[in-house]
Amino acid sequence: MSVLEIRKAGDKVLKEKAAPVAKIDRKIKRLLDDMANTMYEAQGVGLAAPQVGVSLRIIVLDTGDGLIELINPVITAHEGCEAGTEGCLSIPGMYGEVERYAKVTVEGLNREGRRISITGTELLARALQHEIDHLEGVLFIELAKSVHKG
């Protein structure tokens, strides 16, 4: 497994809408492994493929309960609303107050191509929404009510 370069704000790949993954092959599974390794090395809780320069709809997360890998994730249900502080591996040292859904259900594919559904609240809900935003070319600082250095 490799540690990949995390792209920083200003890199055009972070502003692109990522393409769906058409086929889960060895290359995609290697990317999942490398993304997880990169996320852990950077001490993050989530990472989207565009953050490592790959414009595909893939995210990895670990909010403390183990690794979650999602290919072509889509928010299928949401409820409530809450504000919270967010940071981003692509914008080091900056934090912002972002309003997000309090609870989300996300569906996608796992590395075997099986459809999975994850429902999250608190940090997991926030991380899922943050990473899916990356797939749309949206950075948290564009949604933040306020931004500050940390």
Side-chain angles (χ1 to χ4, degrees):
M1 289 192 295
S2 301
V3 173
L4 305 172
E5 175 191 352
I6 296 174
R7 304 298 178 93
K8 304 297 187 245
D11 190 312
K12 69 178 181 93
V13 73
L14 295 174
K15 298 305 300 165
E16 296 173 2
K17 185 170 178 163
V21 173
K23 179 182 176 193
I24 301 170
D25 56 17
R26 194 172 9 176
K27 185 176 174 184
I28 294 297
K29 291 178 182 180
R30 168 82 190 243
L31 178 60
L32 285 164
D33 292 339
D34 290 346
M35 285 175 61
N37 197 41
T38 302
M39 175 187 70
Y40 289 128
E41 181 71 23
Q43 299 180 338
V45 297
L47 192 68
Q51 291 181 274
V52 294
V54 180
S55 193
L56 289 173
R57 300 186 75 76
I58 300 173
I59 63 174
V60 296
L61 306 105
D62 188 340
T63 58
D65 295 319
L67 181 64
I68 297 169
E69 300 172 324
L70 286 169
I71 299 165
N72 300 333
V74 176
I75 296 172
T76 57
H78 56 80
E79 62 184 65
C81 197
E82 63 186 17
T85 302
E86 293 185 22
C88 182
L89 295 173
S90 291
I91 312 171
M94 296 298 290
Y95 298 89
E97 290 298 310
V98 180
E99 200 162 289
R100 299 271 188 196
Y101 296 124
K103 180 178 181 181
V104 294
T105 299
V106 175
E107 292 183 5
L109 303 175
N110 67 11
R111 68 170 44 232
E112 283 80 39
R114 286 194 285 272
R115 183 151 300 282
I116 58 172
S117 179
I118 296 170
T119 299
T121 59
E122 299 175 347
L123 180 57
L124 179 55
R126 184 164 297 279
L128 285 162
Q129 292 169 84
H130 178 109
E131 300 310 329
I132 290 171
D133 278 351
H134 275 298
L135 305 181
E136 297 298 321
V138 176
L139 299 174
F140 85 93
I141 55 173
E142 298 167 49
L143 306 173
K145 301 226 183 275
S146 65
V147 178
H148 60 276
K149 291 188 177 192

